[in-house]
Amino acid sequence: MTAELRHLRAFLAIADAGSVTSAAAMLRMSQPALSRTLRQLEDHMGARLVDRTTHRLELTTEGRHFRDKAAGAVAAVDEALDPARLRPWPLRLGHAWSAFGRHTTPLLRRWKETFPQTPLELLRVDERTAGLLSGKTDVALVRAPLLPREAEGLLGEWLCNEQRVAAVPADSELAAHTGPLNLAALVHHPIALNTVSGVTTLDLWPEELRPSPDTAVLVANTDDWLGAIAAGDAVGVSTTATAEMHPHPDVVYRPLAGAGDVPLMLVWREVPMGSGQPSHPAVPQLVRVALEVLAEDEGRTDAPRGTR
């Protein structure tokens, strides 16, 4: 049997609904027919994708990995068959937080001037791959290395390294500190961690200094991260891009010594996998424009310098 688009849609409906019965109603097909479609897909993949032994249907490990690929494939087909995308075809640039830092506006303006026929849409998607695996974006600004399963089918271009900064409440003793802070200065405070798309984990601290996980303040996005710090509930670690893109009257950013830089990359899907071809034909032009914007910024004597 050859897997078809209907098999992917059926699997995604089951994954979203949490039950075959609800998914069948949503797809307006009988439950036995949907179960047969799922079984055909599992036979084709040679793996069980859905665990039916529990009281509530759950995806297996293989099913969770396959879900992102199936969603990306369906989104690509839907986009290709959308008449509204024929002219023009927007290039969707995703980011999970802080976009391109201080280079964001120059990038958007340069693109609009150089390629007015291809709109560039900047989208914040709170995922580690900023919408690439789910098909919500064509190319993404991604910080820190991806996990092997996340990087499968993705290509990328390194742009620069961003220096880490500490984010502390404006009325704290850390904010009054002159000069850079270090990791040891933060360990006596709860650490705000973005567990969805952030790059900071407690492993950043040496084992002998590592804060207790019990004291960490877990958040799901940059807004909540800033809110926790502004309220005095925590301190945080991010990069210079966050300081540039998210100034806050109740948060002070300080350079963080000894924590290492964070790589920033432009990453895109290759379609089909192994072809080396991006999912949008304008991706190579975006890479070129991003590198040009960086090069021009480095040439300014008054510009804060990053690491290239």
Side-chain angles (χ1 to χ4, degrees), residues 6 9-11 13-14 20-38:
R6 63 184 179 89
R9 292 193 190 279
F11 168 71
I14 293 171
V20 175
T21 302
S22 298
M26 182 173 62
L27 295 173
R28 297 183 179 179
M29 61 189 301
S30 69
Q31 182 176 336
L34 182 56
S35 296
R36 285 195 301 271
T37 302
L38 174 61

Side-chain angles (χ1 to χ4, degrees), residues 11 92 145-146 179:
F11 168 71
R92 301 168 301 170
L146 297 174

Side-chain angles (χ1 to χ4, degrees), residues 206-230:
E207 188 172 358
E208 64 275 11
L209 287 176
R210 193 163 298 158
S212 169
D214 296 334
T215 64
V217 176
L218 306 183
V219 299
N221 55 58
T222 301
D223 295 333
D224 293 346
W225 180 84
L226 279 170
I229 297 169

